[in-house]
Amino acid sequence: MRRSPRPPHGPAAIASSPWIVVGAGVVVMVVLLFVALGAYRGRSPAPDGARLPALPVPSAVVAPSVPTSVPSPVPVLPGLSGRASGLPPSATGSGSPSVGPTVGATGRPTATRSPSRAAQGQPAMSGRYRVVQSFDGGFIGEVAMVNASARSRGWTVRLEFSGGRLVTAWVEGVPQGTIRQFDGGFTYVSGVEVSPGGSVSLRFHMERASSAPRDCTVDGVRCTGF
C-alpha cells in the first residue's frame, strides 16, 4: 500500500504557497502604518523647552473724546466792578446796532446798521435816583445809570438839594471821577466809561439835607425815581 504524501513543511511550504508571503507583507505594512500614525499623534507640537512665539495682544480701543463747548468769557471794560459793568449787547438784548451784509446798487456787499434804542428817542445814558439808607442827620443816596447807546460813554451826574452839605461821593470798585460842589448840590464827572448796555451806580453821603432832591440829571437828562 502506498502512503498519501504529506504536505510540505517549512520553507518548502512557503515557497509552494506565494500568497502567504504577500499576505504577511500586507499585514506588516498595516502594522507599521498604525505605529507611525501613533507616533505622529503623540509627538508634541514643539520640543521641550521651546517657547511659542507671543501673539500680539490688541491694544484697547479708546473712544475719541468729544470736546465740549465752553462759552467764551464776556469782555469787561478795565476798571469797572462786577456791578458797574454789563454784558455786551448781543448777550443782554439791549438793542445795540447789528451789522449785516447787503448788496448795493453796484453789486458789492455793503453793511447796514439797525438803529439803536438811543436813536429811537431813548437817551444814551439814563439814571434812576433812590435813597439807600437814612439816619439821623443825613442819608446815603444813589443814582443808578444804564448806557443804552452803541458805544462806551462817560457821564456826568448833577444833584441839587435845598440846603445840606455833601460829605463824599463815590463809585465802587473803579477809579473815581471829579466832584464839583456848589451851594446845595454837586456835580460828579465819571472817571471811567460805561460799555454799551452796561450799568454803573454813583453813591453819595449828604448831611442836613432832604432826601428828595430838587433836581437830578445824567448828562442833562432828568433822573427817574423821585
Side-chain angles (χ1 to χ4, degrees):
M1 295 179 63
R2 290 182 180 181
R3 293 181 181 179
S4 58
R6 293 181 181 178
H9 297 282
I14 295 174
S16 62
S17 302
W19 61 269
I20 296 177
V21 177
V22 175
V26 171
V27 172
V28 172
M29 290 180 64
V30 171
V31 172
L32 292 177
L33 179 61
F34 277 101
V35 171
L37 289 175
Y40 179 78
R41 291 181 180 178
R43 183 177 298 175
S44 173
D48 296 339
R51 295 184 180 179
L52 295 177
L55 296 177
V57 179
S59 59
V61 178
V62 180
S65 59
V66 179
T68 56
S69 58
V70 177
S72 59
V74 177
V76 179
L77 288 179
L80 286 181
S81 63
R83 178 179 181 183
S85 61
L87 297 176
S90 58
T92 58
S94 61
S96 62
S98 60
V99 177
T102 59
V103 178
T106 60
R108 297 181 179 178
T110 58
T112 58
R113 184 178 296 272
S114 59
S116 62
R117 292 193 303 177
Q120 296 174 356
Q122 183 175 349
M125 292 290 295
S126 60
R128 181 177 179 84
Y129 175 87
R130 75 183 183 101
V131 176
V132 177
Q133 182 181 2
S134 297
F135 45 85
D136 187 18
F139 69 95
I140 303 294
E142 178 187 77
V143 179
M145 292 159 282
V146 177
N147 181 8
S149 68
R151 63 179 181 85
S152 299
R153 302 182 64 93
W155 44 271
T156 301
V157 173
R158 186 179 188 279
L159 282 161
E160 183 178 352
F161 297 89
S162 54
R165 183 182 72 89
L166 174 68
V167 178
T168 185
W170 71 96
V171 179
E172 295 181 359
V174 301
Q176 302 303 303
T178 304
I179 302 174
R180 297 185 179 90
Q181 291 184 264
F182 56 88
D183 291 340
F186 67 95
T187 60
Y188 187 100
V189 180
S190 64
V192 293
E193 295 182 341
V194 184
S195 60
S199 63
V200 64
S201 296
L202 170 68
R203 290 193 174 185
F204 56 92
H205 178 193
M206 292 290 296
E207 285 185 344
R208 300 187 300 274
S210 172
S211 59
R214 295 176 56 185
D215 192 21
C216 172
T217 59
V218 176
D219 292 344
V221 180
R222 186 175 176 84
C223 304
T224 61
F226 72 99

